[in-house]
Amino acid sequence: MIKQFLLSKLQYLISIALIILTSSICFVSVEIIGYKVVALILLVVVSMLAMLFNIKAVMLAAFLSALIWNFFFIPPLFTFHISDTEDTLMFLMYFLIALVNAVLTNKIRVAEKKAWDKEEKVKTIKLYNTILNSLSHELRTPISTIIGSIDTLKENREKISVENQEALMAEIENASTRLNQQVENLLNMSRLESGHIKLNLDWYDSSDIVNLVIQRLPKIKTQHNIIFNPKENLPLFKLDAGFIEHILYNIMHNALQYTPVNSIIKVEVEYKNRLMEITIEDNGKGFPESEIQYVFDKFYRLPQTITGGTGLGLSIAKGFTEAHGGTIKLENTLHGGARFIITIPTEITFISDLKNE
Amino acid sequence: MNKPEILLIDDEIQIRKLLEINLESNGYKVLLAATGKEGLIMAANHPPELILLDIGLPDRSGHEILKELRNWYNKSIIVLSVLNNETDIVSALDNGATDYLTKPFRTNELLARIRACIRRNSNEIEAHSVQTFNELVIDFASRVVKQNDTIVKLTSTEYNLLCLFAKNEGRVLTHQYILKEIWGQGYQNETQYLRVFVGTLRKKIEENPNYPTHILTESGVGYRFN
């Protein structure tokens, strides 16, 4: 807002300054170029301003330059009076051309903006449809699983082996957990979008947070090796633990889903340059370099990936990181895996200071 | 033996049905109330062994019902909440809730909380001088703590903290409550001390301090001791 305001003020200042500067140069060299050419030079300046600035600033430049040309260049000098008919005509024409210039450029710009807006609208509608499709698919799949399994259990109880009954119940359990996860993600997304997010800061032991998240991850974690060796002598950090847990959970959950069984997921926490830095690294295939810039976009999913996600997890991780004043970065490691680096500005307190009290 | 009575105050009929079946099949007698008003009357007419109270009731806020109950009811109250909102949970605990569960919860979790609360109701009558938690033994009379028969050396703050946890086995304790009990008035918001002492205590009494089995962290709320 303030920046825009300054920018619009600046436009007027630059317009006035450029006209005065050009006029002064012309005034010194009027003997050589003649006063009629000065009009052309000023017109060029006004036209150039019209390409960059808003219509009001350009009109101002047009008026100012016309008056300057009249006062300092058209004989008799230093009056607004024009004695020659030819000069009067030229002055009027100058005025007209400068105005037409300003208005036309403005018209083109408005038309351009309209076309752009329309394009954006089409894009938004398309995105919205994609979201709805993906969401209804992601929500309906677990619901269908639950309803189907229950129907089967109800109607054919005698015919189904105990093993299969248990398998169906496990399906219901998995589908419900997945549904709950999706709803949680959607709620978090709308929380972030609403902008009404308040940090609930308190002192935390970062290794406690990381261990808690690791324990909370779904059972497939047993098929992965999650490595976390807390560094000695880390300070306590003042954080919103809920936010940090969400960030870590979403990134690690993502790594579990998209890396093959037996992959290694390594978590590290450090305190560097007054920032808490969390690194989560895997030895999977990493991300195609061309896709990295889109990974944190809402509803973005890598092309040809397995189903089961809404494309919200990483954008929520980014949203919570930014709500905490931090940044999140994704890069591929030298060995080809993915590495997420989260940095969060935070107050610290050293544990040794507290023990002595 | 008489079946312990549990009063469930929840406006959702599905939840009432589900918990009724669940709790009855686990040996409890269940009384059901659909509104806060109904719940208050039922509790007053026939005080149950434990109350399960939904915090998001339609007629009156569960927080108000909780405060009103606590004017005279001194057995356990477990609050149920759909919100995963720590401040809401902490305020319920500060207003006298014994424990909490967030929906959706797993049945075994609910049963564990109920068992811990009911045990606590009777524990207040007889105090044990020795308590055992798997490989961990606390002898309150001689102030000795042993892990796998080896004596664990604790500072007096660590010992006091462990005793507070042990006396509230299975029950969540808020940061503020622990700080007030161990460090005293004026320290309620000095969470950093608690973090440090929980860290050192875990190193001494947990087999793997990274994956504690005794002192569990309840994110944003406090700790629970098992």
Side-chain angles (χ1 to χ4, degrees):
Chain A
M1 273 290 271
I2 294 172
K3 208 175 155 191
Q4 256 176 349
F5 178 76
L6 281 179
L7 208 68
S8 69
K9 288 282 154 205
L10 208 61
Q11 289 190 359
Y12 295 104
L13 269 179
I14 293 175
S15 300
I16 295 170
L18 261 179
I19 293 295
I20 292 176
L21 184 73
T22 319
S23 312
S24 313
I25 296 169
C26 291
F27 193 73
V28 184
S29 45
V30 72
E31 296 287 317
I32 314 160
I33 55 176
Y35 74 91
K36 283 176 185 164
V37 176
V38 172
L40 288 176
I41 294 172
L42 285 172
L43 261 184
V44 170
V45 175
V46 174
S47 308
M48 285 195 330
L49 290 174
M51 286 195 287
L52 300 169
F53 293 164
N54 70 33
I55 186 156
K56 282 187 202 154
V58 179
M59 296 281 255
L60 176 72
F63 273 104
L64 184 69
S65 61
L67 291 178
I68 289 177
W69 186 50
N70 181 347
F71 194 79
F72 290 101
F73 294 94
I74 303 178
L77 294 186
F78 308 117
T79 67
F80 286 113
H81 179 72
I82 305 172
S83 48
D84 200 25
T85 328
E86 195 191 328
D87 285 347
T88 315
L89 257 171
M90 270 201 60
F91 176 70
L92 287 177
M93 265 157 54
Y94 175 90
F95 211 70
L96 211 70
I97 293 172
L99 283 184
V100 167
N101 223 328
V103 172
L104 275 185
T105 329
N106 190 52
K107 255 193 180 165
I108 293 171
R109 221 173 300 145
V110 169
E112 263 176 1
K113 194 177 178 302
K114 253 191 197 156
W116 194 76
D117 281 353
K118 207 174 162 190
E119 210 176 297
E120 278 296 290
K121 204 176 162 193
V122 171
K123 266 195 217 159
T124 315
I125 291 173
K126 214 175 139 202
L127 178 69
Y128 185 71
N129 285 336
T130 325
I131 290 165
L132 270 187
N133 282 338
S134 123
L135 259 190
S136 56
H137 175 78
E138 290 311 326
L139 295 177
R140 280 208 181 110
T141 309
I143 294 173
S144 313
T145 312
I146 296 171
I147 294 177
S149 306
I150 287 179
D151 284 347
T152 320
L153 283 172
K154 250 162 81 178
E155 284 158 25
N156 318 302
R157 201 173 302 160
E158 298 83 24
K159 290 178 234 157
I160 307 175
S161 67
V162 177
E163 265 165 48
N164 281 342
Q165 286 187 26
E166 264 162 27
L168 284 174
M169 284 192 259
E171 282 303 323
I172 296 175
E173 188 176 359
N174 284 337
S176 316
T177 313
R178 188 167 144 198
L179 204 55
N180 191 37
Q181 181 71 35
Q182 312 278 35
V183 171
E184 173 114 346
N185 271 339
L186 284 171
L187 286 177
N188 280 327
M189 198 30 122
S190 61
R191 236 177 104 195
L192 280 166
E193 301 253 295
S194 77
H196 295 299
I197 276 212
K198 213 178 123 236
L199 290 179
N200 191 3
L201 296 177
D202 205 343
W203 294 105
Y204 287 97
D205 179 340
S206 55
S207 54
D208 200 9
I209 295 181
V210 177
N211 285 322
L212 205 65
V213 172
I214 294 175
Q215 276 173 299
R216 221 181 267 167
L217 286 166
K219 290 192 195 88
I220 41 168
K221 75 174 180 216
T222 47
Q223 294 158 2
H224 286 74
N225 303 309
I226 301 180
I227 302 175
F228 172 57
N229 296 314
K231 284 219 156 61
E232 291 290 321
N233 302 325
L234 270 184
L236 295 176
F237 297 107
K238 203 166 198 181
L239 303 165
D240 184 309
F243 281 26
I244 306 295
E245 283 165 23
H246 274 305
I247 298 165
L248 296 181
Y249 185 93
N250 283 2
I251 293 177
M252 290 169 78
H253 190 252
N254 206 69
L256 287 181
Q257 276 186 304
Y258 299 107
T259 56
V261 167
N262 289 328
S263 295
I264 298 170
I265 298 168
K266 203 169 145 196
V267 187
E268 262 173 36
V269 181
E270 277 184 276
Y271 178 62
K272 264 191 199 167
N273 312 321
R274 309 183 137 259
L275 295 166
M276 172 165 105
E277 186 179 290
I278 312 173
T279 315
I280 301 165
E281 195 177 303
D282 64 53
N283 64 346
K285 280 191 290 222
F287 287 79
E289 289 293 334
S290 57
E291 301 292 319
I292 284 183
Q293 55 174 320
Y294 305 114
V295 162
F296 296 107
D297 287 358
K298 224 185 303 168
F299 299 105
Y300 171 81
R301 306 198 57 216
L302 274 185
Q304 282 124 38
T305 40
I306 53 162
T307 54
T310 42
L312 280 177
L314 293 183
S315 69
I316 289 172
K318 184 173 190 240
F320 276 134
T321 308
E322 285 170 358
H324 216 308
T327 55
I328 188 165
K329 202 172 87 182
L330 166 63
E331 60 190 28
N332 285 326
T333 65
L334 286 177
H335 314 288
R339 181 191 289 134
F340 286 88
I341 303 163
I342 302 138
T343 46
I344 295 199
T346 155
E347 268 181 64
I348 55 150
T349 175
F350 280 98
I351 291 171
S352 50
D353 295 348
L354 297 169
K355 275 188 187 161
N356 298 335
E357 280 182 47
Chain B
M1 205 179 102
N2 278 343
K3 284 182 179 176
E5 285 179 344
I6 295 176
L7 170 63
L8 168 63
I9 311 175
D10 195 312
D11 61 307
E12 297 287 345
I13 184 149
Q14 293 108 305
I15 301 282
R16 288 204 302 275
K17 193 79 222 160
L18 173 72
L19 292 187
E20 184 184 17
I21 296 173
N22 236 318
L23 296 174
E24 298 257 332
S25 64
N26 278 286
Y28 297 102
K29 184 167 186 247
V30 184
L31 306 161
L32 300 170
T35 63
K37 204 174 145 196
E38 204 185 324
L40 281 174
I41 295 168
M42 286 173 79
N45 285 343
H46 188 82
E49 189 65 25
L50 180 139
I51 296 176
L52 289 174
L53 170 67
D54 182 19
I55 270 301
L57 290 170
D59 59 334
R60 289 174 66 189
S61 131
H63 290 283
E64 275 178 47
I65 306 286
L66 178 64
K67 277 187 205 161
E68 208 154 307
L69 280 170
R70 272 298 177 235
N71 285 334
W72 60 272
Y73 181 81
N74 53 20
K75 289 186 173 172
S76 300
I77 301 175
I78 300 179
V79 291
L80 308 176
S81 141
V82 271
L83 315 160
N84 200 356
N85 182 344
E86 292 87 12
T87 41
D88 209 47
I89 293 163
V90 170
S91 93
L93 292 169
D94 286 342
N95 284 328
T98 323
D99 213 323
Y100 76 99
L101 277 167
T102 47
K103 293 176 185 173
F105 49 79
R106 304 307 296 253
T107 310
N108 53 8
E109 229 177 313
L110 172 72
L111 291 172
R113 300 287 153 82
I114 291 175
R115 274 195 302 271
C117 283
I118 290 181
R119 193 169 42 220
R120 206 177 149 268
N121 284 346
S122 49
N123 261 9
E124 278 171 353
I125 304 160
E126 54 165 321
H128 294 276
S129 66
V130 177
Q131 258 184 294
T132 309
F133 308 89
N134 293 328
E135 81 293 346
L136 189 73
V137 180
I138 307 170
D139 186 334
F140 296 106
S142 56
R143 293 177 66 98
V144 170
V145 178
K146 282 183 183 171
Q147 188 194 36
N148 293 324
D149 292 329
T150 318
I151 291 183
V152 183
K153 281 189 184 157
L154 298 177
T155 66
S156 81
T157 309
E158 286 164 359
Y159 178 77
N160 291 340
L161 188 58
L162 181 61
C163 288
L164 182 69
F165 279 138
K167 280 175 188 153
N168 292 284
E169 183 195 354
R171 180 192 168 190
V172 68
L173 299 179
T174 63
H175 300 136
Q176 288 209 356
Y177 176 79
I178 304 172
L179 284 161
K180 206 181 89 193
E181 289 294 309
I182 303 295
W183 281 271
Q185 291 285 353
Y187 277 86
Q188 281 104 314
N189 295 318
E190 310 291 315
T191 330
Q192 64 273 35
Y193 291 97
L194 186 53
R195 301 290 178 215
V196 171
F197 280 88
V198 166
T200 56
L201 192 54
R202 273 181 178 157
K203 282 198 183 111
K204 292 182 182 180
I205 65 161
E206 298 282 1
E207 305 217 305
N208 179 354
N210 287 335
Y211 299 103
T213 55
H214 294 301
I215 308 174
L216 308 180
T217 302
E218 294 274 318
S219 178
V221 178
Y223 295 97
R224 184 187 300 280
F225 190 82
N226 279 326

